[in-house]
Amino acid sequence: EERDKQIVAQMEFYLSDENLPHDLFILQEADNKCWLPFDFMMAGNKVSDLSTDVNVCRNAIDKWSSKLCCKEIDGVLKIRRKKQLPLELLKEAKKTLELGQGAPLLGKSGKGPANGKGKGKGKGKAKGEVAKGFLSYEQVYGR
């Protein structure tokens, strides 16, 4: 029971008003109805340290979360918030996505590439090229 509550608390944090509008990694995975693949959400270290069993995590969400819901869509288990982000936070999320397009994934400081200090002789990306694994705004919002 305690582990289940910890799983729920972590997933609720990932999709919280405080975190979600600024979390480019999660925002880029969301579809145009804000559904996220459940296995993507479980892949975070803090959740996977608690459990790697989809059924355990889903049952925890179903039993203990008042903020999240799960649904199978086209054969894929998905998760999202029950309530949409407030308008001001939706604007912040949109800004995060727009600023993040074509940028390398930022490290914890938010000031540069996650790998190294940025002084290496890597090949980098051509101007306007989207970093591998990043979705475009059109792919996320279907526009």
Side-chain angles (χ1 to χ4, degrees):
E1 184 176 304
E2 184 60 33
R3 176 185 65 172
D4 290 356
K5 289 180 180 179
Q6 290 175 329
I7 290 167
V8 168
Q10 189 60 47
M11 293 253 204
E12 286 181 347
F13 170 74
Y14 287 150
L15 300 177
S16 68
D17 288 359
E18 295 76 25
N19 185 68
L20 185 58
H22 313 287
D23 194 319
L24 180 62
F25 191 60
I26 292 175
L27 290 170
Q28 289 180 321
E29 287 295 319
D31 68 17
N32 63 343
K33 298 199 184 216
C34 299
W35 288 104
L36 291 146
F38 199 83
D39 60 348
F40 167 79
M41 293 300 293
M42 285 185 56
N45 288 340
K46 292 183 180 179
V47 174
S48 63
D49 285 348
L50 296 166
S51 179
T52 57
D53 186 321
V54 172
N55 292 322
V56 167
C57 293
R58 184 193 182 154
N59 291 337
I61 298 295
D62 290 343
K63 183 174 182 179
W64 297 105
S65 182
S66 61
K67 298 176 182 178
L68 306 176
C69 59
C70 300
K71 182 178 181 181
E72 195 165 310
I73 301 172
D74 297 326
V76 177
L77 184 60
K78 306 260 182 152
I79 186 171
R80 74 173 179 187
R81 295 165 52 114
K82 288 183 179 178
K83 292 182 179 179
Q84 184 174 331
L85 280 170
L87 183 59
E88 284 303 310
L89 295 179
L90 280 171
K91 290 178 183 176
E92 284 184 42
K94 181 179 177 184
K95 186 176 179 181
T96 298
L97 278 167
E98 289 169 350
L99 291 173
Q101 294 306 305
L105 188 62
L106 298 179
K108 289 184 180 182
S109 70
K111 294 182 180 177
N115 54 350
K117 297 182 180 181
K119 295 182 180 180
K121 296 184 180 185
K123 294 181 181 179
K125 298 284 178 200
K127 187 173 183 178
E129 184 179 346
V130 177
K132 182 179 180 184
F134 276 53
L135 298 176
S136 69
Y137 184 82
E138 292 76 21
Q139 287 171 306
V140 173
Y141 286 102
R143 297 181 196 145

